[in-house]
Amino acid sequence: MNGDSYKIIISISHHRISFEYWQRDGENKLVSLPNGNWPAPLAFYCSDTGIVIGDDAVRAAHSGTTNAFDNYFERLVEDSTYTIGGQTRPIRNLLLDASESIFRDFFRHVLFNRFGSLSDNRANMPLTIVCESDIKPNERALLHGLFKDSGYNRVRVVDYDCYINRYINESLSNEYVCDKVVVAWAEGADLTFSIFGVNNDFAPIVKSFENLGIDPRKKYVEKMIWERVIGQNPWLQKSDEEDAISKAASDFLSSSLPLVNDTILLSDGQQYHYSLNRNTIDYIQNSDVVSIKDTLEQFLKENGIINRSRVLLLLRGIVAGNSYFEQNLSPGFSKTIRTDKKLRDNTMNLIISEVVPMFEPETIIVESPVDVNPPRESDNQIKIKEISKKWRLVKAEANGKQRGGQPDMALQMLKDFLSECQAISGVDNVIAEISTEIAKYNITQAPVVNHNSIKSFERQWREIKATAKGKVRSGNLSDARSILQSFLNSLEKEPGTDSLISSVQNELSLIAADEPKRSKSRHKDGDIHPNGKWVWVASAANGNGDWRVIDGRIHNQTKQYKESAREKNNDGDSLIAQGKLKEARDWYRSQNNNVMARILSDIIRSQKGVELRKAAIEEYRKSKNREQISRIIKEIEEYIDLCEKAGLNSSEYKKLLADYRKI
């Protein structure tokens, strides 16, 4: 293996990265470097405590967190920047800074500084960067220059395909009798096919095809999982759970389990059950299946392969172990094998067996990310580091107490720690995070829906609706209204019954109110007779109208009825003015004013949600989730419209609407 005591290998594609090392006096094999679950998604998050790589960084980037990045190679053309240690640096240096953070841990915790620190080893450290098929030549040149220009004089960039080709020629072709080997590989959306000759009789042929690396079953599985969990909690937002659901779907499709009954942890900290049956998923047929078969056949024909009986198919990346790709790519080949640990280890052994050459020394000025002899930290800097570490512990403990049913104790812990932090300068970011956590405790939890009760109400509604329609047909309108109103009152006490409430209100609005008989006379109610002694009373004579003595018994009864009606009408407005919306709604129903009653019902039902938006605005200012904010703006606009129809003052909600529009 040559005279090096250790070697470091970075394996990289557009989507994943891994860090490994080989040590002469170790196990004589590649071992994953500490502080990572390699291979990990190629995403970075620059936090106060260092650079995070992998799944946590992906979640941070997808949620819009500052200083979190995915799609590293795509961002290189955007001239983006990131901030670390108070310095703003170009995005290309992000991979270098993240790698050096891992290298430092390697020298400190694996080699125990036996050969010195990173600064002592940078110039002579044997570093190999292994690139997958999707890394373009200009991107490989950038990776090489990035490390070389930073003082790594023994860095080389190699193509993994070249060593796959060597392994095929030296070992695989002897184990499996074949003339050629076709390799199918994917890690992102694109599918790459490669053709290798077993006797090095031609250079490898490599071609990528856009969007063929996506398993079409994945969206279907994600949809099934989402339908299972949304039935358990209708307040979940799909955009918040996409990463967790996508991972669960990928794990299932990569497994060979025929049936899965499992739980998934979502963003609210709760576990949700879901089940999947492979028999209903594996044989989904769509246009993608035809496309992937035709694409492979056309690629082989273009390169002279008509008969596949002496051609071996090797599946790598997410293609390996995936039944969809295996079923649609394997037919006709002499043998199909998947990349496993043995095959990868043997291929990587070819790489680490080679000497990493030394560059000719150049006179260059290297900007070291970290000073070799950093100045002594002040007492306040030490406190800042201690506070950052303590905050992670306090946050975890508070979350545990909240999940354990002790939210008051969790909230008090956060408030106590906030007071402690406010006495220290330089921890504004920690104070902001604590304040955000405290704000979450002030948001009222959504009511729990009892699905069994909903089903019971739905059964009752079918019976009540039929009974009410029967009353209407027989002319008993008041009985029909009474039956529907009684059921409506029961529904409004139960969360999750909005759809049923709307149906009942619609039925109520279809029942005409009892109208008094109108006089057919040309006289109007209140007309004075020419003799000056009589007044026309429209309600007299069974509604036909008649003259009555002014201030007589019938006339006085009519005046009292009108005054009473005016008072009742004023009662509704008065109740609204006092903020007694439920009483006002009931009053309007008693007056058969179903339109106004429905408006007030909608206001009552929406009021709590709109109030929650006031408490949560700071959280949305930080997350900047455009989809959710647009939905909230529409919700507030509809609420303001309802308030204006009911004559309620909506100025504070107009201000809230303006605040959300500014985000």
Side-chain angles (χ1 to χ4, degrees):
M1 287 278 181
N2 64 57
D4 290 317
S5 299
Y6 65 88
K7 293 184 178 183
I8 292 180
I9 308 287
I10 301 176
S11 299
I12 190 169
S13 71
H14 274 201
H15 302 278
R16 303 186 77 77
I17 189 170
S18 65
F19 292 84
E20 298 166 290
Y21 71 92
W22 169 86
Q23 196 173 358
R24 176 172 296 282
D25 54 0
E27 299 179 56
N28 198 28
K29 66 176 184 179
L30 281 179
V31 180
S32 292
L33 279 164
N35 293 339
N37 185 20
W38 316 115
L42 185 62
F44 307 93
Y45 170 42
C46 302
S47 68
D48 293 335
T49 55
I51 300 178
V52 178
I53 306 175
D55 290 313
D56 290 340
V58 171
R59 284 189 286 271
H62 288 182
S63 64
T65 303
T66 304
N67 257 1
F69 307 91
D70 58 358
N71 300 324
Y72 172 75
F73 286 98
E74 293 178 17
R75 290 179 182 273
L76 291 175
V77 300
E78 298 174 0
D79 200 26
S80 302
T81 59
Y82 65 99
T83 303
I84 185 168
Q87 294 184 344
T88 300
R89 297 166 65 82
I91 199 73
R92 64 178 178 276
N93 284 42
L94 187 52
L95 176 62
L96 173 67
D97 285 345
S99 300
E100 293 209 324
S101 175
I102 293 171
F103 296 163
R104 288 189 189 92
D105 285 340
F106 168 68
F107 286 109
R108 187 180 302 121
H109 299 299
V110 176
L111 299 182
F112 303 106
N113 290 329
R114 184 153 47 114
F115 303 106
S117 65
L118 171 62
S119 299
D120 300 325
N121 284 265
R122 185 181 282 112
N124 296 305
M125 185 176 85
L127 172 63
T128 301
I129 302 174
V130 182
C131 295
E132 278 288 5
S133 305
D134 58 349
I135 303 294
K136 302 177 181 66
N138 61 323
E139 293 168 342
R140 294 171 197 160
L142 179 138
L143 295 174
H144 186 268
L146 185 66
F147 285 89
K148 178 177 176 291
D149 295 344
S150 297
Y152 292 85
N153 293 328
R154 294 186 65 195
V155 59
R156 64 174 183 151
V157 178
V158 301
D159 295 339
Y160 188 69
D161 276 347
C162 293
Y163 292 88
I164 283 280
N165 190 30
R166 274 185 57 187
Y167 179 67
I168 287 170
N169 281 277
E170 295 174 11
S171 302
L172 209 59
S173 59
N174 297 325
E175 187 175 350
Y176 302 97
V177 179
C178 57
D179 298 329
K180 293 182 177 69
V181 176
V182 173
V183 178
W185 173 81
E187 276 187 345
D190 300 341
L191 176 62
T192 299
F193 291 129
S194 306
I195 301 176
F196 298 96
V198 298
N199 297 313
N200 281 324
D201 47 0
F202 60 86
I205 302 167
V206 182
K207 189 172 182 180
S208 293
F209 299 90
E210 291 185 358
N211 299 321
L212 286 187
I214 302 172
D215 186 339
R217 303 170 303 170
K218 189 165 182 281
K219 284 187 178 179
Y220 179 74
V221 174
E222 288 174 350
K223 180 174 178 286
M224 291 180 68
I225 296 174
W226 174 247
E227 287 174 350
R228 300 289 194 279
V229 301
I230 194 64
Q232 298 166 59
N233 183 355
W235 279 274
L236 291 171
Q237 297 294 327
K238 191 173 183 180
S239 57
D240 296 336
E241 318 303 343
E242 285 177 347
D243 290 340
I245 290 174
S246 175
K247 185 177 185 304
S250 297
D251 290 346
F252 172 71
L253 292 172
S254 298
S255 74
S256 57
L257 296 173
L259 184 69
V260 167
N261 281 298
D262 205 349
T263 57
I264 182 172
L265 179 65
L266 298 184
S267 60
D268 62 354
Q270 301 298 315
Q271 297 275 359
Y272 293 88
H273 175 264
Y274 69 94
S275 60
L276 298 168
N277 189 331
R278 188 172 293 279
N279 290 334
T280 63
I281 295 168
D282 272 357
Y283 298 101
I284 295 172
Q285 296 295 324
N286 56 33
S287 59
D288 291 331
V289 175
V290 178
S291 177
I292 197 172
K293 288 180 178 177
D294 292 347
T295 302
L296 174 61
E297 186 170 353
Q298 183 65 29
F299 173 71
L300 296 178
K301 282 182 179 179
E302 288 174 357
N303 293 284
I305 299 178
I306 306 299
N307 185 354
R308 309 180 201 179
S309 60
R310 290 182 60 83
V311 180
L312 177 71
L313 176 64
L314 173 62
L315 304 178
R316 295 202 306 112
I318 62 173
V319 175
N322 183 294
S323 57
Y324 162 76
F325 289 105
E326 192 162 332
Q327 289 167 8
N328 290 289
L329 296 178
S330 295
F333 288 98
S334 62
K335 180 74 175 177
T336 299
I337 61 173
R338 305 169 180 172
T339 299
D340 55 13
K341 186 177 184 302
K342 177 185 174 183
L343 190 149
R344 184 179 185 276
D345 286 348
N346 289 336
T347 304
M348 296 302 287
N349 281 338
L350 297 174
I351 295 174
I352 61 178
S353 65
E354 296 178 339
V355 176
V356 181
M358 173 75 76
F359 293 120
E360 291 296 324
E362 296 179 329
T363 305
I364 57 173
I365 299 174
V366 179
E367 180 187 349
S368 176
V370 178
D371 290 338
V372 176
N373 297 308
R376 186 176 180 275
E377 292 181 319
S378 67
D379 291 341
N380 196 61
Q381 287 174 321
I382 294 171
K383 282 184 180 180
I384 291 172
K385 285 189 174 182
E386 290 174 351
I387 284 292
S388 297
K389 290 179 181 178
K390 187 175 179 181
W391 166 228
R392 291 195 293 272
L393 297 174
V394 170
K395 184 178 180 181
E397 189 175 350
N399 287 338
K401 289 191 179 297
Q402 186 190 29
R403 288 193 294 270
Q406 298 175 296
D408 293 339
M409 189 176 295
L411 181 59
Q412 190 58 49
M413 285 180 62
L414 294 172
K415 288 181 177 178
D416 292 344
F417 189 59
L418 178 62
S419 300
E420 180 182 341
C421 291
Q422 287 171 338
I424 300 172
S425 62
V427 292
D428 294 344
N429 57 330
V430 176
I431 290 173
E433 289 182 20
I434 299 171
S435 301
T436 301
E437 286 296 314
I438 290 174
K440 293 178 182 177
Y441 286 80
N442 296 328
I443 298 175
T444 306
Q445 295 295 316
V448 178
V449 175
N450 187 329
H451 296 286
N452 291 330
S453 296
I454 301 298
K455 289 180 180 178
S456 175
F457 278 128
E458 287 172 348
R459 288 192 295 270
Q460 292 177 47
W461 171 230
R462 288 192 289 270
E463 297 174 4
I464 289 170
K465 185 177 180 181
T467 303
K469 285 185 178 295
K471 295 287 185 184
V472 170
R473 284 194 295 271
S474 63
N476 295 326
L477 302 185
S478 60
D479 288 351
R481 278 195 297 272
S482 177
I483 292 170
L484 293 173
Q485 187 62 56
S486 176
F487 184 59
L488 183 61
N489 293 339
S490 301
L491 289 176
E492 288 173 341
K493 299 174 184 177
E494 188 74 25
T497 57
D498 292 356
S499 177
L500 280 173
I501 288 173
S502 178
S503 298
V504 178
Q505 288 175 338
N506 184 55
E507 285 298 317
L508 274 169
S509 67
L510 296 176
I511 300 174
D514 294 328
E515 295 185 4
K517 296 179 181 178
R518 298 187 180 275
S519 170
K520 297 179 182 179
S521 170
R522 57 187 174 83
H523 298 295
K524 295 180 181 178
D525 191 47
D527 284 352
I528 304 298
H529 193 275
N531 65 16
K533 297 179 181 180
W534 297 340
V535 62
W536 184 264
V537 178
S539 60
N542 294 322
N544 292 316
D546 199 358
W547 296 107
R548 291 290 186 266
V549 177
I550 294 176
D551 290 332
R553 180 176 60 84
I554 299 298
H555 184 211
N556 285 336
Q557 285 178 353
T558 303
K559 287 196 295 182
Q560 289 170 5
Y561 174 80
K562 290 179 179 178
E563 290 170 359
S564 175
R566 278 195 296 271
E567 288 173 2
K568 285 184 178 179
N569 190 47
N570 290 335
D571 282 348
D573 294 339
S574 175
L575 290 168
I576 290 175
Q578 296 173 50
K580 298 178 179 179
L581 301 185
K582 289 185 178 180
E583 291 86 343
R585 176 201 60 195
D586 295 341
W587 186 88
Y588 279 111
R589 283 177 183 161
S590 70
Q591 301 301 308
N592 296 319
N593 190 339
N594 292 322
V595 174
M596 193 63 176
R598 185 183 302 173
I599 290 171
L600 290 170
S601 292
D602 290 341
I603 291 173
I604 293 165
R605 192 163 54 253
S606 305
Q607 194 172 41
K608 185 179 290 186
V610 175
E611 291 298 326
L612 289 177
R613 302 310 182 194
K614 292 182 184 177
I617 189 168
E618 290 302 325
E619 187 175 344
Y620 286 109
R621 279 197 178 107
K622 292 178 181 178
S623 70
K624 296 189 183 298
N625 187 319
R626 298 299 177 193
E627 184 180 348
Q628 286 186 339
I629 291 170
S630 297
R631 190 164 54 248
I632 290 169
I633 288 173
K634 185 177 180 182
E635 178 185 325
I636 298 172
E637 287 174 341
E638 290 173 352
Y639 186 74
I640 291 171
D641 184 53
L642 288 170
C643 289
E644 290 180 346
K645 287 179 180 177
L648 285 167
N649 184 356
S650 59
S651 58
E652 63 174 310
Y653 302 109
K654 288 179 180 177
K655 182 179 181 301
L656 180 64
L657 177 63
D659 290 341
Y660 268 100
R661 282 175 172 166
K662 291 176 184 176
I663 298 178

